[in-house]
């Protein structure tokens, strides 16, 4: 279904939540709003194939409708890994379970409704946060990354995709404009773009590109890099030595 949540003028634009109305249009919304989303999702599957380990768990934190989970499930060895998807939106989790169960696979998948900060991460070979850290309060991000790092096995990988800002204002403005043009080209009107911006500004706080790289190194990842970027969106990897 097409996302037209912000197509009509709203007297008061409420803070964005991942409720039932968002679930209905989510695949269209994320595809038309996040440059490079499909490439990132399919590459997450390939990275999971590279980094899976025998008898380990793969986590998809903020799994929404399970796009990354389903991508990884295609690539990993059914006898080696199980996948746990976590999301704190009941509406997302309910629909995610339907999505996951509508494809046949031998890889065990469990979808859990919980806050990421409350779950245990253990025996992990792969942990994915695909555009989710930006919704976690900024003061909680370092501790969450420490928890992920300590739950990973040696040789395990953390894949982190985010929207980001740049310290260089000129670069930041240019890449932001490219993103706005991407949304316009995908059919979002100026009204939709501006109402969505108001809805999301208190909910999604974006860190800088450099902050992400520095934080991944600071929590202990031995190998850190960005591996994909399209405008002001992209993805990083941290590999535990
Ligand atoms: C994808 N990864 O399609 N605990 C659990 N879930 C959370 C929390 C939290 N504290 N905060 C937010 N979420 C997906 C896309 S969407 C990104 C991820 C976007 C969940 C929230 O309910 C939502 O489903 C997801 O994180 C973010 O590959 O919409 O821009």
């Amino acid at each position: 279904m097409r996302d037209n949540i912000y197509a009509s003028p709203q007297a008061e634009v409420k803070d964005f939540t991942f409720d039932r109305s968002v679930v209905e249009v989510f695949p269209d919304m994320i595809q038309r709003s996040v440059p490079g989303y499909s490439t990132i999702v399919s590459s997450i599957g390939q990275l999971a194939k590279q980094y899976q380990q025998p008898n380990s768990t793969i986590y998809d934190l903020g799994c929404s409708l399970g796009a990354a989970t389903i991508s990884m499930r295609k690539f990993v060895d059914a006898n080696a890994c199980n996948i746990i998807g976590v999301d704190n939106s009941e509406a997302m989790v309910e629909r995610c379970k339907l999505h996951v169960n509508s494809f046949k696979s031998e890889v065990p998948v469990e979808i859990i409704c919980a806050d990421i900060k409350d779950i245990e991460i253990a025996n992990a070979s792969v942990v994915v946060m695909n555009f989710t850290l930006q919704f976690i309060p900024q003061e909680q991000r370092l501790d969450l990354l420490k928890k992920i790092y300590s739950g990973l096995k040696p040789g395990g990988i953390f894949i982190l995709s985010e929207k980001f800002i740049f310290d260089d204002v000129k670069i930041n403005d240019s890449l932001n404009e490219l993103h706005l043009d991407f949304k316009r080209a995908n059919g979002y009107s100026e009204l939709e773009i501006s109402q969505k911006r108001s809805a999301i500004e208190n909910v999604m706080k974006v860190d800088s590109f450099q902050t992400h790289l520095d934080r991944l190194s600071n929590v202990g990842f031995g190998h850190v890099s960005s591996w994909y970027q399209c405008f002001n969106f992209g993805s990083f990897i941290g590999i535990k030595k």
Side-chain angles (χ1 to χ4, degrees), residues 65-191:
L65 300 185
T69 290
I70 291 167
S71 172
M72 291 190 284
R73 195 172 62 167
K74 278 190 212 138
F75 285 93
V76 299
D77 182 352
N79 300 317
C81 302
N82 66 300
I83 303 178
I84 299 179
V86 180
D87 205 288
N88 67 348
S89 155
E90 271 180 34
M92 282 289 185
V93 165
E94 194 184 302
R95 186 65 59 90
C96 182
K97 286 179 178 169
L98 289 178
H99 273 207
V100 166
N101 293 334
S102 63
F103 296 91
K104 247 190 160 175
S105 165
E106 297 299 313
V107 180
V109 174
E110 189 186 356
I111 304 296
I112 297 171
C113 188
D115 194 303
I116 295 163
K117 74 173 186 308
D118 301 330
I119 61 151
E120 195 201 0
I121 296 174
N123 193 38
S125 53
V126 179
V127 178
V128 173
M129 286 191 89
N130 201 35
F131 301 104
T132 304
L133 190 65
Q134 58 203 14
F135 294 102
I136 304 292
Q138 275 170 309
E139 66 282 4
Q140 295 175 15
R141 292 180 189 175
L142 181 61
D143 283 348
L144 176 55
L145 263 55
K146 285 181 183 166
K147 176 168 90 169
I148 290 168
Y149 180 80
S150 74
L152 275 163
K153 293 159 80 77
I157 190 170
F158 175 45
I159 305 166
L160 173 68
S161 313
E162 292 273 288
K163 183 180 187 186
F164 32 72
I165 49 171
F166 290 85
D167 298 326
D168 184 317
V169 176
K170 182 99 186 137
I171 300 287
N172 195 58
D173 289 350
S174 291
L175 299 192
N176 194 39
E177 195 54 37
L178 287 172
H179 176 231
L180 292 177
D181 281 343
F182 170 86
K183 292 190 81 165
R184 291 173 185 125
N186 284 334
Y188 282 117
S189 67
E190 298 305 317
L191 177 69

